[in-house]
Amino acid sequence: MLSPTSVKDALNQTAPVEQMLVQGWVRTRRDSKDFSFIELNDGSSLRNLQIIARDSLPNYATVQRLITGASIIVRGALVASQGKGQNWELVADELTIVGASDESYPLQKKGHTPEFLREIAHLRPRSNLFGCVFRVRSRLAFAIHQFFQERGFYYIHTPIITGSDCEGAGELFRVTSIDATNPPRKPDGSIDYTRDFFGRSTYLTVSGQLEAEAFASALTKVYTFGPTFRAENSNTSRHANEFWMIEPEMAFTDLQGNMDLAEEMVKYLIRDAREKCREELGLFAKFVDKELLSRLDFVIDRPFQRITYTEAIELLKKSGEKFEFPVEYELNLQSEHERWLTEKHFKCPVTVFNYPKKIKPFYMRLNDDNKTVTAMDLLVPGIGEIVGGSQREERLEVLEESMRRYKMDPKDYKWYLDLRRYGTVPHSGFGLGFERMLMFVTGVSNIRDVIPFARTPGSAEF
Ligand code: 4AD
Ligand code: MG
């Protein structure tokens, strides 16, 4: 039995092959005098393999009715192509129709808008654009593991169901098995979650950080890479309610080391994609974002800018720019502010650090000024924030004080505080939004188009 060759491998042959088996989906078919040309794609490459089906095939009549979207298996000889645009083509000795298609198949040869393709998210990976996006996504996921494994980090699987709200933003999806029509109630009438499945309130995690800190306090350098969930009602091109996050956590590391790692990682991933996804990036540069390649190369080559939050506020105030949202110390930087800094002012990625404690979560290390914490956000052109991180508060009393300020009960976080009781160390980490990284690398401007099936407010189809 001949084992199948991918379209990509078939196209990369260096010599003719007498017998080869390929399988995939028909992109187009057209008739010539005594044969049919079929463009076959199996998702292994942007390019199609041209199949020549001669009228001597016993099922030629059915082959002539093949239309876009049908699945076929072809056995034949790989020969040098006479035609333009390809080196090889496959002359079929046998062509099996596995699954027919019909005229209602929505992906036709003419280009479709990303908005239309979003509505057929189950079929869009068969398009050129989305085939490229999801091959890059796969490659970058691999490169992330490679980056950390090469540097002595251990991969930790932090829980998806958790009782804590790491970011303290209250954007949690509750996980419950309570019967909504007949919930157990406390005397005051409210729902008694101590009688829920886990004996307490539980949620889908917004971040694996707290648990990663426990493991960094044992294995020194760790990372998580998994799905995170936020019930935030922001309908923007950069927010999803389910997204993937990469979170390294390092013991014996301060904010400086943390910023260095984030910069090194972003550059590593871009370099990897430039090298390993040439065909895909070529397509994005042609159809999605003409400046993509020059921007990526520019980013790889130069050190990122670093400024404090206070400096950022000063620059924004002096900018003379009309912003929709106010620029004020102790207010969050909005996307428009972030983008002005990275796109207009520095024209390169910039890491902003030392934010006011008021606008950052409880776990960040308090600076000696008593006003700011060792937070850092990495901002990139076209997107804004792609990384958020910090050095963590390793001093027990300071951390307890911070929790109280956030109306958190230290008793609920005993395990987390234990890490400060037993062999505490300065430690740091960050979260890189995987989809935002993909947007940056591909130039694709909407987060819904870099995740297979997007979850956004009001939309969880598929
Ligand atoms: O800045 P965030 O909220 O940081 C944390 O969750 C920390 N606990 C991470 C850590 O220090 N271990 O999120 C980190 C990154 C953001 O910079 C952004 O890239 C991405 O996650 N992100 C989102 N991506 C898509 N949709 C959303 N709703 C996102 N929220 C955050
Ligand atoms: Mg953030």
Side-chain angles (χ1 to χ4, degrees):
M1 252 289 280
L2 210 51
S3 56
T5 303
S6 70
V7 165
K8 179 182 179 183
D9 288 347
L11 291 168
N12 286 340
Q13 293 296 318
T14 49
V17 180
E18 225 163 273
Q19 281 292 291
M20 183 181 272
L21 199 67
V22 295
Q23 45 200 14
W25 292 268
V26 174
R27 279 295 178 83
T28 58
R29 192 191 59 79
R30 64 192 164 85
D31 286 322
S32 196
K33 201 162 127 261
D34 44 13
F35 57 86
S36 233
F37 288 113
I38 298 168
E39 292 289 331
L40 186 75
N41 192 285
D42 67 352
S44 60
S45 167
L46 172 59
R47 291 172 297 159
N48 303 321
L49 177 64
Q50 178 161 286
I51 310 285
I52 310 288
R54 293 211 182 95
D55 64 0
S56 52
L57 286 173
N59 58 344
Y60 190 65
T62 5
V63 169
Q64 280 192 306
R65 288 198 300 273
L66 266 181
I67 61 169
T68 306
S71 51
I72 59 174
I73 298 177
V74 188
R75 187 175 55 76
L78 190 78
V79 301
S81 175
Q82 309 300 312
K84 273 200 303 239
Q86 71 264 330
N87 295 329
W88 302 107
E89 62 193 19
L90 194 80
V91 180
D93 291 324
E94 191 182 356
L95 194 160
T96 312
I97 297 162
V98 181
S101 180
D102 68 47
E103 303 294 344
S104 65
Y105 184 65
L107 284 172
Q108 295 303 330
K109 198 170 178 201
K110 70 173 178 78
H112 298 289
T113 64
E115 290 75 19
F116 170 75
L117 290 167
R118 232 172 263 155
E119 288 167 20
I120 50 163
H122 58 306
L123 296 173
R124 69 178 180 170
R126 299 193 201 180
S127 69
N128 284 342
L129 174 68
F130 287 97
C132 285
V133 166
F134 293 114
R135 279 190 297 276
V136 173
R137 187 174 170 114
S138 168
R139 175 68 212 183
L140 271 200
F142 175 81
I144 281 158
H145 287 294
Q146 189 163 279
F147 174 83
F148 286 119
Q149 299 284 335
E150 279 171 357
R151 286 162 181 75
F153 283 71
Y154 296 100
Y155 177 31
I156 307 299
H157 300 99
T158 48
I160 307 274
I161 299 177
T162 164
S164 49
D165 178 7
C166 175
E167 295 306 294
E171 295 165 337
L172 301 161
F173 287 106
R174 183 182 285 282
V175 175
T176 179
S177 64
I178 283 179
D179 176 0
T181 61
N182 184 25
R185 298 210 183 261
K186 293 197 271 198
D188 68 2
S190 62
I191 295 177
D192 183 3
Y193 286 106
T194 64
R195 287 161 67 192
D196 201 348
F197 192 89
F198 296 105
R200 57 171 301 157
S201 282
T202 48
Y203 313 93
L204 293 178
T205 189
V206 297
S207 160
Q209 178 196 321
L210 303 187
E211 292 90 350
E213 284 185 55
F215 272 75
S217 308
L219 306 188
T220 305
K221 292 199 283 186
V222 301
Y223 68 105
T224 73
F225 183 8
T228 49
F229 308 86
R230 299 200 182 176
E232 62 189 323
N233 198 357
S234 15
N235 233 318
T236 79
S237 59
R238 302 167 309 115
H239 287 88
N241 298 112
E242 175 178 316
F243 62 96
W244 284 62
M245 189 153 53
I246 300 102
E247 296 183 273
E249 193 68 35
M250 298 167 283
F252 305 101
T253 301
D254 62 9
L255 184 69
Q256 203 65 35
N258 204 25
M259 293 196 284
D260 290 346
L261 186 80
E263 179 168 341
E264 191 185 343
M265 178 175 188
V266 167
K267 287 180 172 169
Y268 180 97
L269 295 179
I270 296 173
R271 209 173 285 124
D272 185 89
R274 282 294 271 133
E275 210 171 286
K276 297 295 195 313
C277 308
R278 284 176 191 280
E279 197 176 71
E280 288 78 11
L281 263 53
L283 178 119
F284 302 136
K286 206 162 157 194
F287 295 113
V288 177
D289 178 354
K290 298 257 180 294
E291 264 118 64
L292 179 70
L293 300 182
S294 53
R295 184 167 62 247
L296 293 180
D297 291 340
F298 179 88
V299 167
I300 297 173
D301 286 343
R302 280 169 193 71
F304 295 177
Q305 291 289 326
R306 288 182 190 177
I307 54 165
T308 64
Y309 168 89
T310 311
E311 287 163 343
I313 293 293
E314 279 160 15
L315 286 172
L316 287 160
K317 282 196 158 173
K318 280 195 306 213
S319 69
E321 196 86 7
K322 271 238 169 320
F323 294 113
E324 189 187 338
F325 293 92
V327 176
E328 223 34 83
Y329 192 80
E330 291 194 330
L331 286 187
N332 261 316
L333 294 182
Q334 299 294 327
S335 169
E336 54 173 348
H337 308 139
E338 296 177 343
R339 293 186 58 171
W340 181 84
L341 287 167
T342 172
E343 286 164 25
K344 296 248 173 68
H345 188 73
F346 289 110
K347 299 190 170 60
C348 85
V350 42
T351 309
V352 182
F353 62 99
N354 286 350
Y355 283 72
K357 65 179 177 189
K358 251 193 171 162
I359 55 171
K360 288 291 180 184
F362 76 96
Y363 53 73
M364 295 187 175
R365 192 178 196 282
L366 188 61
N367 284 317
D368 293 341
D369 62 13
N370 237 329
K371 265 183 17 198
T372 60
V373 287
T374 53
M376 62 119 173
D377 279 2
L378 171 55
L379 319 175
V380 299
I383 296 170
E385 177 190 344
I386 62 168
V387 166
S390 72
Q391 185 171 338
R392 320 306 188 189
E393 185 53 76
E394 86 284 11
R395 298 161 295 184
L396 181 62
E397 291 75 34
V398 186
L399 183 55
E400 284 176 332
E401 182 51 37
S402 163
M403 284 180 156
R404 281 190 285 268
R405 229 177 349 102
Y406 283 87
K407 308 264 179 294
M408 297 163 69
D409 187 349
K411 280 206 291 298
D412 291 342
Y413 290 85
K414 182 183 173 299
W415 70 268
Y416 186 69
L417 294 167
D418 273 355
L419 305 173
R420 279 72 181 168
R421 281 189 191 100
Y422 310 121
T424 191
V425 285
H427 63 288
S428 301
F430 62 80
L432 168 68
F434 188 43
E435 285 73 21
R436 294 207 185 157
M437 185 68 210
L438 276 165
M439 290 167 72
F440 190 56
V441 165
T442 60
V444 169
S445 60
N446 196 309
I447 196 165
R448 293 166 180 78
D449 297 332
V450 294
I451 190 161
F453 298 101
R455 268 75 183 107
T456 50
S459 163
E461 216 192 326
F462 307 102

